[in-house]
Every structure is written in structure tokens, then in C-alpha cells.
Amino acid sequence: MYAKHALRAAMACCLTAAGIAQADVITIATVNNGDMIRMQGLTSDFTEKTGHQVEWVTLEENVLRQRVTTDITTKGGQFDIMTIGMYETPIWGANGWLVPLDDLPAAYDADDILPAMRDGLSHDGTLYAAPFYGESSMIMYRTDLFKQAGLTMPEEPTWDFVAEAARQLTDTDNEVYGICLRGKAGWGENMAFLTAMGNSFGARWFDEDWKAQFDSDAWKETLTFYLDLMTDAGPPGASNNGFNENLSLFQQGKCAMWIDATVAASFVTNPADSTVADHVGFALAPDDGKGKRGNWLWAWALGIPAGTQKEAAAKEFIEWATSKDYLALVAEKEGWANVPPGTRASLYANPEYEKLPFAAMTLKSIETADPLHPTVDPVPYVGVQFVAIPEFAGIATEVGQEFSAALAGQQSADEALQKAQALTTDAMEAAGY
């Protein structure tokens, strides 16, 4: 008996040693928002289950995009997992730059991922990144301020209603501004908002022959409306404000309305962080009566660069971080309101999650975004707040700088649009379109 127990103990030691030997240290590049920071705090659960250690590189959104793009195009090998989105994933997957995720185990239940998210992160039917959270955009507004002003927010408001309400609710003496919108330059910052907004006004990046459209009446109406609204009812220094800056302003009670990512709903309703947590309502992004709303579609997702030496460990992490079990873990630790939203159908069928005031509006916003038909008039591209071509990121970054400069008062709307038209035309001609 003693010999048998000793043999078992020796075998267990060997297995343990083997497990430790196989454990890896993986490096993950991610964005500095609340859900990703929360994931970092829970990583010990992953390490306990797998033995793998995680090193985090946490970056501001624009910097993250630059770093991961440079690393993957140059085969730099700095990261084993990258936080990327619906724009990069299909393009990089088609180029062979990402590891396919078509062999995830049955228990992972990839079919539970919302179709909008799965399709947006796939190329030719193959999933190349798994969504950590998914989002559209919607209006978050102060119910107390609306009530005091005698205003009622429609579930499906128009831009004219939003603009009128924003001007009425602006109280500069008390540092309350009618509306907070992105102004920080970046293809994923101000241009995400303005492209989606432009869709609802009938604007488009290109016509069916890939001709730039910034000289159109629709873009002039979009940009002029935005600039006038922000001048009259926006906070000072808005040209420097992106998602995180506007989130902070809203949580401090300085925005009567904020149109941005649905993922922010849990942050603005969290009494630990938001001074207005008990006075927040939600509505669909506005429209202009042309059949398209100004809401986008996005997922922050985890992808594995081809060539990593730690593919197996990286896949284990992605399975852990984007699984149903992870959602349950966050719910246990932080409550259902703080679970990463917008990824799995089962979450929106969960009775506990259905009780949240923003759950139904988030799902409706995601389901009404149409990346295959994003604009009023036909276009040769897909993508709601982006154009799914490799050249877009560079072009939109430059256009975003021009539009941000207009918001800062450094040039007029006409000047910004003229420059946008010229630089977009030059870039597309150079690319051979």
C-alpha cells in the first residue's frame, strides 16, 4: 500500500512539475477603459486555473491602435494577444496576420456570440478575434434635468429634438452643458462619432465609384450641425475630449446628454463612480428622418498575432476572458451591471441582466446597426462608423484632425471639408482606387 501511495505521489509531482514547465508568460496589449481594467484585476483567476502569467500593456485608444498596427505589420512580436476591433480583424485575418479561432472547444459555445459580433470579427466565415465586449452607441441623458425643464426624451429622438433640448439645458453658470460629444481627433474617436452621425444625415465617405464625398451637401450639413451644436451647448475644450474625457464629465454631472458607446451605461449608473447614477435614462441614437440612425457597431476583441510562440496559452486566455464563465465571474464579484455587454445572446436572456435599465436599449441599438447597408445612398464598402479598407485608418486620422481643428475654432467647416476632400482624394488615387 505504501509503495502504491508513494508511486501516486511521485506521479502527481511529475505532473505538477510538467504543468509548471508548460506555463507561459503572455503579453497582452489592451485599451485603458473600465472593462479592460476590471479584467486585469481578475486575471489571477486565469492564472490559478492554467498556471499562465499575464503581462499587460495598457494604452490610450489612439496609442493602442498605432502600437498594435505597427507591431503586426512589421512582425514585431511584442504581443501574444492584441485588443483589436471590427475594422482591423477581417482585414488582418484575410492577410494571414491573425491566428484563426475556429477550433475553440464546444463548451465555449461560439454560436452563442451575437451574430452582429461574430460576423464583424470574421473573414470568409472564420472567426479571427473573440469579442470581449460589444457595443453600439446611444443617448445617455439626465432624467432629473429633463424633468426640471419639462422635457420628455423620446425613445427614438431626432437630431432636431436633441439639439433643441441641448441648448435649453445648457447652464454655463453651473458648468452644466447640454451635450457632450467626441471631439478628439482619431479614426476611432471623433471620426467614429461623425461618420455614424453623417450616415443619418445622408452623408457617405465614397460614392459607388470610390469618389470622396466630403464636398457633398450632406457632409456640410453634418459638420455644420455638429459644430454649431457643440459651440452652443458643448463643454469648453471639446476638441480634446474622447470617450474617457466625456465619461468623466458625465459622471461629474456636467453633461445633460452624452451620445456614445452603449458600454458606458454601466459606468454612468454606478453610484461608486457617478454622481448622477440614479438619474440616467437611455434612448436610441438620433436620426434625421432619412431612415438611418446615428449609431455605430463595434467590438473590442482579443486576437492572436500569427507567429506568436505562445499560441496555445493565448487561446486559453481568450477562452477564459470571453466565456460565459467569465461573465458569471464578473457578476459574482462586481454585480450583473458590470458584466461586459454586447457579446452573447445568453446574457440578454438572463432574467437578472434583463432587469438592468440599459440592457434592452443596448441590444436594440446593436441590432439596428447595419454594417452591410450603413448609408442612405448605396456605397461600395461595409462598416458603420468606418470603411472596411486598409487605407481608411490613415485617411480618417487626417480627416479627424481637420474636423477637430474646426471644433477648436482654428478653421471653418468649409475649410475642413475642402481639406478632407483633397486629402481623401489624393490618398485613394495613390492607393489605386
Side-chain angles (χ1 to χ4, degrees):
M1 290 291 294
Y2 176 81
K4 185 183 292 185
H5 287 309
L7 178 61
R8 286 176 180 171
M11 289 176 65
C13 289
C14 290
L15 288 171
T16 301
I20 293 173
Q22 293 170 5
D24 283 314
V25 179
I26 55 174
T27 302
I28 305 176
T30 196
V31 66
N32 64 339
N33 64 33
D35 281 299
M36 297 305 194
I37 291 170
R38 183 177 292 120
M39 177 171 59
Q40 295 175 40
L42 295 172
T43 306
S44 59
D45 180 79
F46 168 73
T47 299
E48 289 171 8
K49 290 175 176 175
T50 67
H52 302 308
Q53 301 287 330
V54 179
E55 292 184 353
W56 292 94
V57 179
T58 307
L59 303 165
E60 187 271 333
E61 182 173 321
N62 284 341
V63 178
L64 172 74
R65 296 183 195 279
Q66 294 167 358
R67 286 278 301 275
V68 299
T69 300
T70 299
D71 190 66
I72 204 159
T73 55
T74 62
K75 297 181 172 61
Q78 295 183 54
F79 309 114
D80 302 300
I81 295 176
M82 295 176 168
T83 304
I84 53 180
M86 287 185 170
Y87 167 65
E88 304 98 332
T89 301
I91 296 172
W92 293 1
N95 287 343
W97 295 349
L98 296 172
V99 174
L101 299 180
D102 52 359
D103 58 349
L104 296 173
Y108 178 78
D109 194 4
D111 289 339
D112 185 49
I113 298 173
L114 290 170
M117 300 300 154
R118 190 170 61 244
D119 293 347
L121 296 168
S122 298
H123 172 70
D124 281 349
T126 297
L127 189 71
Y128 281 96
F132 180 73
Y133 72 74
E135 67 180 40
S136 183
S137 54
M138 65 183 176
I139 302 175
M140 292 157 276
Y141 67 95
R142 291 276 300 281
T143 55
D144 55 337
L145 296 182
F146 268 70
K147 184 176 180 179
Q148 291 169 19
L151 294 169
T152 300
M153 173 69 80
E155 183 176 312
E156 300 181 0
T158 64
W159 282 109
D160 285 341
F161 173 85
V162 166
E164 183 178 343
R167 290 181 169 96
Q168 185 175 338
L169 293 168
T170 297
D171 180 3
T172 54
D173 290 341
N174 289 305
E175 292 188 280
V176 175
Y177 303 96
I179 196 160
C180 293
L181 302 173
R182 297 189 187 194
K184 179 187 288 186
W187 72 262
E189 281 282 9
N190 65 338
M191 290 314 299
F193 176 81
L194 283 165
T195 300
M197 180 183 181
N199 292 341
S200 67
F201 277 84
R204 51 187 179 164
W205 270 79
F206 305 103
D207 67 11
E208 291 182 278
D209 295 319
W210 291 103
K211 303 294 185 185
Q213 296 294 293
F214 288 107
D215 56 358
S216 66
D217 291 340
W219 263 114
K220 182 170 183 177
E221 183 183 3
T222 301
L223 188 58
T224 301
F225 186 98
Y226 165 82
L227 295 175
D228 289 347
L229 177 58
M230 292 297 284
T231 298
D232 295 344
S239 62
N240 296 314
N241 293 345
F243 174 85
N244 285 329
E245 292 80 10
N246 283 327
L247 170 62
S248 178
L249 287 171
F250 194 95
Q251 289 177 323
Q252 294 171 41
K254 295 186 177 183
C255 306
M257 286 180 285
W258 179 29
I259 304 174
D260 213 298
T262 53
V263 71
S266 66
F267 305 143
V268 298
T269 56
N270 184 347
D273 301 314
S274 175
T275 63
V276 298
D278 295 330
H279 306 288
V280 184
F282 306 95
L284 291 175
D287 70 9
D288 193 45
K290 295 181 174 67
K292 295 292 180 181
R293 308 205 75 83
N295 57 310
W296 63 64
L297 185 68
W298 185 254
W300 276 120
L302 302 177
I304 303 171
T308 176
Q309 301 302 304
K310 301 171 184 177
E311 179 180 319
K315 281 187 176 178
E316 286 185 64
F317 184 87
I318 289 177
E319 290 170 29
W320 172 81
T322 65
S323 67
K324 295 178 185 178
D325 288 343
Y326 179 82
L327 301 184
L329 176 65
V330 176
E332 176 190 343
K333 301 288 187 181
E334 307 282 347
W336 281 107
N338 295 309
V339 167
T343 60
R344 288 184 171 269
S346 57
L347 179 63
Y348 290 90
N350 184 306
E352 292 301 314
Y353 197 76
E354 286 180 322
K355 296 176 185 177
L356 298 174
F358 50 81
M361 189 59 68
T362 294
L363 184 60
K364 188 173 183 179
S365 297
I366 288 171
E367 291 180 338
T368 56
D370 186 358
L372 299 181
H373 307 93
T375 54
V376 174
D377 294 324
V379 290
Y381 56 84
V382 298
V384 181
Q385 77 280 20
F386 58 83
V387 178
I389 58 173
E391 295 79 13
F392 176 79
I395 297 171
T397 296
E398 292 188 57
V399 173
Q401 291 167 352
E402 299 300 338
F403 288 178
S404 186
L407 181 58
Q410 297 169 5
Q411 60 184 349
S412 68
D414 285 342
E415 289 170 330
L417 289 167
Q418 288 169 7
K419 292 177 181 178
Q421 178 71 14
L423 69 88
T424 302
T425 299
D426 290 346
M428 293 299 282
E429 288 179 355
Y433 282 83

